[in-house]
């Protein structure tokens, strides 16, 4: 009985995966049998590890207005939007032990974000970006993005930075369009959460533009680089609605 309830619950969540009308005129028992067969086939699909896996190998969901976005990114941001007023969200650390436990569950394909604490989910999101084998803002763009921050005026810096976003790989572009839009929503609640675009950029720059140099000791050079990286991310957050789009607005 318990197993039957579990199967019905799990399969019910996946009902949308079938074409409309697939089971039209079919008895409840036959439907349940067909669902069970489908569910058992899913059980044997190899589970892709979430953390440390290349972007293109992750499970993606299609999000209206954004395109293909990693399902974990969608789930984490959706969960955090319910707690966007949390003070210090992304700046304050969650529990290391709880985050490790959540990571293990997620790598096994478990749905555990809905019951997780917001600071733990925020920590997972930073870790997700940090552990991508190739940073979501690809290394090949880093030099140009940092150079753009050295231009003379705000208008020139913004235009150059946003133009570079237009030539990112499609999969990176869709994910980042969604994510920077999310961060912009977080920043708009900064009166409550104390996380404006500047604070968010400082937190996320090392995760979105990570490289092998990230392990180097802090010195004058690395500090200047971190400030330029943060300027890139802040520009993208504040202009999220133009990310990956024609930058005529800045001419």
């Amino acid at each position: 009985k318990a197993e039957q309830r579990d199967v019905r619950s799990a399969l019910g969540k996946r009902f949308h995966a079938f074409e409309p009308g697939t089971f039209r005129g079919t008895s409840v028992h036959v439907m349940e049998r067909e669902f069970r067969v489908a569910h058992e086939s899913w059980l044997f699909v190899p589970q892709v590890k979430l953390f440390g896996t290349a972007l293109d190998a992750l499970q993606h969901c299609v999000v209206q207005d954004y395109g293909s976005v990693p399902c974990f990114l969608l789930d984490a941001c959706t969960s955090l939007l319910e707690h966007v007023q949390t003070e210090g969200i992304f700046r304050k650390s969650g529990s290391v032990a709880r985050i490790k436990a959540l990571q293990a569950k997620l790598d096994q394909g478990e749905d555990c974000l809905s019951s997780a604490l917001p600071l733990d989910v925020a920590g997972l999101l930073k870790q997700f970006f940090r552990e991508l084998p190739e940073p979501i803002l690809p290394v090949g763009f880093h030099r140009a993005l940092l150079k753009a921050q050295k231009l003379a005026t705000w208008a020139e810096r913004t235009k150059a930075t946003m133009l570079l976003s237009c030539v990112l790989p499609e999969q990176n572009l869709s994910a980042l369009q969604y994510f920077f839009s999310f961060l912009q929503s977080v920043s708009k609640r900064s009166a409550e959460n104390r996380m404006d675009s500047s604070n968010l950029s400082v937190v996320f720059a090392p995760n979105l533009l990570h490289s092998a140099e990230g392990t180097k000791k802090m010195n004058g050079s690395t500090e200047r680089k971190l400030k330029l990286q943060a300027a890139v991310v802040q520009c993208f957050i504040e202009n999220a609605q133009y990310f990956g789009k024609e930058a005529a607005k800045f001419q």
Side-chain angles (χ1 to χ4, degrees), residues 84-89 185-195:
V84 72
Q85 74 284 355
T86 303
E87 185 173 342
I89 192 169
S185 296
V186 175
S187 70
K188 287 179 179 178
R189 300 286 294 274
S190 61
E192 300 162 84
N193 59 38
R194 309 299 183 200
M195 294 300 291

Side-chain angles (χ1 to χ4, degrees), residues 64-86:
Q64 187 176 2
D65 297 330
Y66 297 100
S68 181
V69 174
C71 293
F72 167 74
L73 179 60
L74 175 63
D75 292 343
C77 292
T78 301
S79 173
L80 287 170
L81 281 174
E82 297 178 8
H83 306 280
V84 72
Q85 74 284 355
T86 303

Side-chain angles (χ1 to χ4, degrees), residues 66 81 84-86 89-90 179-200 236-242:
Y66 297 100
L81 281 174
V84 72
Q85 74 284 355
T86 303
I89 192 169
F90 293 119
F179 185 59
F180 285 129
S181 178
F182 161 75
L183 288 183
Q184 188 179 81
S185 296
V186 175
S187 70
K188 287 179 179 178
R189 300 286 294 274
S190 61
E192 300 162 84
N193 59 38
R194 309 299 183 200
M195 294 300 291
D196 58 17
S197 61
S198 176
N199 291 334
L200 289 168
F236 286 151
I237 295 172
E238 293 178 352
N239 300 283
Q241 63 272 36
Y242 305 121

Side-chain angles (χ1 to χ4, degrees), residues 212-219 222:
E213 296 178 0
T215 57
K216 288 186 176 181
K217 291 183 178 180
M218 183 66 70
N219 55 40
T222 54

Side-chain angles (χ1 to χ4, degrees), residues 79-142:
S79 173
L80 287 170
L81 281 174
E82 297 178 8
H83 306 280
V84 72
Q85 74 284 355
T86 303
E87 185 173 342
I89 192 169
F90 293 119
R91 177 175 54 79
K92 293 182 178 180
S93 300
S95 161
V96 174
R98 287 197 304 265
I99 289 173
K100 284 185 177 179
L102 287 169
Q103 179 183 351
K105 289 180 179 180
L106 288 166
D107 275 338
Q108 292 298 317
E110 292 187 37
D111 180 9
C112 57
L113 294 183
S114 59
S115 59
L117 296 176
L119 293 182
D120 294 343
V121 178
L124 279 171
L125 194 51
K126 290 185 287 185
Q127 183 177 336
F128 167 73
F129 284 118
R130 188 168 60 250
E131 293 189 4
L132 285 173
E134 168 78 3
I136 197 161
L137 281 167
V139 172
F141 288 80
H142 290 189

